[in-house]
Amino acid sequence: MNVNIEFFVLDPIENLITCLNFKMDKVIYFGHSDVMTSYRQKHTARILREVCGVKAVEFHVVSQRNLQSVVEHMEEILKREEAHDCYFDLTGGEELIAVAMGILSRDYKTPMHLFDVESGKLHMLNKWELPGIEESVESRKIELTLDDIVGFRGGKISYRHQKMSKSNLDTEGFETIVNEMWEILKPAPDKWNGLAKVFQDCISFESDLVNVSIPQKKLKSILARHSQMGDVTEFITYLQRLEMVGAIKRLHVTPETIRYSYISEPMRECLLDAGCLLELRTYYNRKNTGRYSDCRVGVHIDWDGVFDGHNLDVENEIDVMLLRGNVATFISCKNGRVDQMALYELNTVADRFGGDYVQKELSVSQPLMGAYLRRAEEMNITVTKEE
């Protein structure tokens, strides 16, 4: 039986990483009561069984100050497991327990290792003295998803409000249209915000989900409400350009009426939402690098992982989420002015569900300046202007 003995720490990925890379039969955790709470014990044990196939899990609370007490407690467990192959994992550990492991490793010839979580690299700490875990235990690599990363931290990705299906996003024609629409957006992001509001106000004149017929007189009154947009002529120019790139079709203009049709419901949603195009552009730019194993757009995260069915769930939306190895990237996209609350929301949700190794990014279509840029830097949020 292969037994992994390790610290219990706050970040779940550090508690799980050995079992994600090696087939362990049993895991024994040593930790402090303020970190190794009853809820975290049950949650970790469930993940180890369901995701990693671990058969047995134990948790032992040890002193935070008395080294001798820690050594004695751990030695008692080591003696009990003497017939099994035991390995010490020092990943992310606490100093007192690390010292105890070092003492016992020498006395009981127990191999020690740790993982660099960001790179996924394994480091053997007494490789030249003892056969390491990589020589004795069957290796494997459990590929994580963003559902796993959020689930490890007690949340759950909700698909009830998913903007677009993966089948729509991965269609080559859809991506091509998004990129060509981006060329229309780039010179004047504020105009694009105004255009989306006009499309929203035209909803009541849609004969179905994709076909629109609006009187020019009514359109003039709609345009007058949105300062970002110009007159009817400018709106028609945008419609013509959108038809040229394939976002709408059957554009027909008369002195009395303007008619057009969206090519699909997903494209309709894209045009109605001012921020959607920047989100999609950011998503495709990152996905096409080939560096990420999981890429999502418009991700809704339920905080407690329980859907009550009564719209009472606490949810936050992250515009783009990416996963590379064990590290998630949370991206907020802003096609317009950025307020401080946007930074706080990104920071709070990313830290809560991405953990200590999370990457945070703000993708903007206009430069972020002054106090907001400084605040982003303080929160370790990378600001990128999408090109």
Side-chain angles (χ1 to χ4, degrees):
M1 177 183 283
N2 294 317
V3 181
N4 192 55
I5 302 173
E6 64 175 292
F7 310 103
F8 189 93
V9 294
L10 277 175
D11 197 294
I13 199 69
E14 293 179 344
N15 295 328
L16 303 169
I17 193 164
T18 291
C19 294
L20 292 171
N21 288 275
F22 292 97
K23 193 176 187 305
M24 308 303 296
D25 302 297
K26 185 175 184 178
V27 178
I28 300 173
Y29 290 104
F30 290 91
H32 304 313
S33 58
D34 57 335
V35 174
M36 199 166 62
T37 62
S38 175
Y39 168 78
R40 290 184 182 129
Q41 289 182 33
K42 292 177 182 177
H43 187 64
T44 302
R46 179 181 62 79
I47 293 171
L48 284 170
R49 293 189 180 102
E50 294 179 1
V51 178
C52 304
V54 174
K55 298 172 184 176
V57 186
E58 292 181 10
F59 300 88
H60 297 272
V61 176
V62 294
S63 170
Q64 297 188 40
R65 292 177 292 274
N66 189 328
L67 176 61
Q68 186 61 35
S69 168
V70 175
V71 171
E72 289 174 359
H73 193 156
M74 294 182 71
E75 186 171 21
E76 180 184 339
I77 300 300
L78 268 179
K79 286 180 179 179
R80 189 195 69 190
E81 301 291 332
E82 200 166 14
H84 302 142
D85 296 322
C86 296
Y87 304 89
F88 283 147
D89 177 6
L90 277 68
T91 305
E94 193 270 347
E95 184 175 341
L96 200 65
I97 300 176
V99 172
M101 284 187 176
I103 293 171
L104 294 170
S105 174
R106 178 196 61 200
D107 295 343
Y108 286 84
K109 308 302 181 191
T110 306
M112 295 190 298
H113 69 272
L114 62 81
F115 275 92
D116 182 321
V117 173
E118 290 182 297
S119 69
K121 186 175 180 180
L122 172 70
H123 297 277
M124 297 306 304
L125 302 181
N126 47 4
K127 181 175 182 179
W128 308 117
E129 303 169 23
L130 301 166
I133 189 172
E134 83 282 18
E135 299 175 35
S136 310
V137 182
E138 178 186 344
S139 64
R140 47 91 180 278
K141 179 64 177 175
I142 296 177
E143 294 291 342
L144 300 179
T145 67
L146 288 167
D147 297 88
D148 294 323
I149 294 296
V150 173
F152 289 168
R153 294 165 176 86
K156 194 168 187 177
I157 293 178
S158 169
Y159 294 94
R160 294 178 300 175
H161 305 118
Q162 188 75 32
K163 283 183 179 177
M164 297 183 188
S165 69
K166 187 172 175 59
S167 60
N168 291 130
L169 293 172
D170 291 346
T171 302
E172 183 179 349
F174 192 85
E175 180 178 352
T176 299
I177 293 173
V178 166
N179 288 331
E180 291 177 344
M181 288 168 63
W182 178 257
E183 297 304 317
I184 300 174
L185 161 66
K186 274 199 306 186
D190 285 337
K191 288 283 187 182
W192 192 263
N193 292 334
L195 186 65
K197 292 176 181 177
V198 174
F199 281 130
Q200 292 168 21
D201 286 352
C202 290
I203 287 177
S204 59
F205 296 91
E206 297 182 17
S207 55
D208 54 43
L209 287 176
V210 295
N211 300 310
V212 180
S213 178
I214 183 167
Q216 288 230 31
K217 185 175 181 180
K218 181 60 180 177
L219 179 60
K220 288 178 182 178
S221 66
I222 291 174
L223 290 168
R225 293 200 297 268
H226 303 297
S227 58
Q228 301 102 318
M229 282 300 298
D231 55 15
V232 172
T233 301
E234 184 176 30
F235 180 68
I236 292 173
T237 300
Y238 269 105
L239 291 177
Q240 291 169 338
R241 296 183 70 186
L242 290 172
E243 185 180 38
M244 287 178 63
V245 301
I248 64 172
K249 59 185 178 181
R250 294 196 291 271
L251 175 62
H252 183 68
V253 179
T254 70
E256 293 78 27
T257 307
I258 295 177
R259 296 186 181 89
Y260 57 90
S261 300
Y262 302 104
I263 62 162
S264 63
E265 289 184 42
M267 186 55 67
R268 172 183 181 269
E269 294 306 308
C270 181
L271 289 169
L272 288 175
D273 183 346
C276 186
L277 187 58
L278 177 59
E279 294 170 18
L280 290 172
R281 176 70 173 188
T282 302
Y283 164 80
Y284 285 127
N285 275 352
R286 304 305 188 277
K287 177 177 178 289
N288 291 338
T289 64
R291 293 199 299 261
Y292 302 98
S293 58
D294 196 359
C295 306
R296 313 276 184 93
V297 63
V299 181
H300 290 262
I301 298 177
D302 183 275
W303 277 66
D304 62 6
V306 179
F307 304 142
D308 60 28
H310 300 290
N311 296 319
L312 299 177
D313 297 303
V314 177
E315 291 188 3
N316 284 93
E317 182 181 6
I318 295 297
D319 296 327
V320 178
M321 280 183 68
L322 312 167
L323 181 62
R324 185 179 187 184
N326 304 306
V327 180
T329 299
F330 286 59
I331 305 178
S332 177
C333 302
K334 295 298 177 186
N335 183 42
R337 291 191 301 172
V338 177
D339 58 34
Q340 191 159 277
M341 285 306 298
L343 296 174
Y344 280 120
E345 181 180 2
L346 172 61
N347 190 61
T348 300
V349 179
D351 286 351
R352 172 68 175 79
F353 295 105
D356 294 341
Y357 301 94
V358 72
Q359 301 290 315
K360 296 171 284 191
E361 185 177 332
L362 181 68
S363 176
V364 297
S365 58
Q366 303 177 64
L368 188 66
M369 307 295 285
Y372 292 146
L373 184 58
R374 291 193 295 273
R375 191 72 185 110
E377 290 172 351
E378 292 169 1
M379 294 178 174
N380 293 318
I381 296 173
T382 302
V383 180
T384 58
K385 185 175 183 296
E386 206 63 35
E387 298 294 352

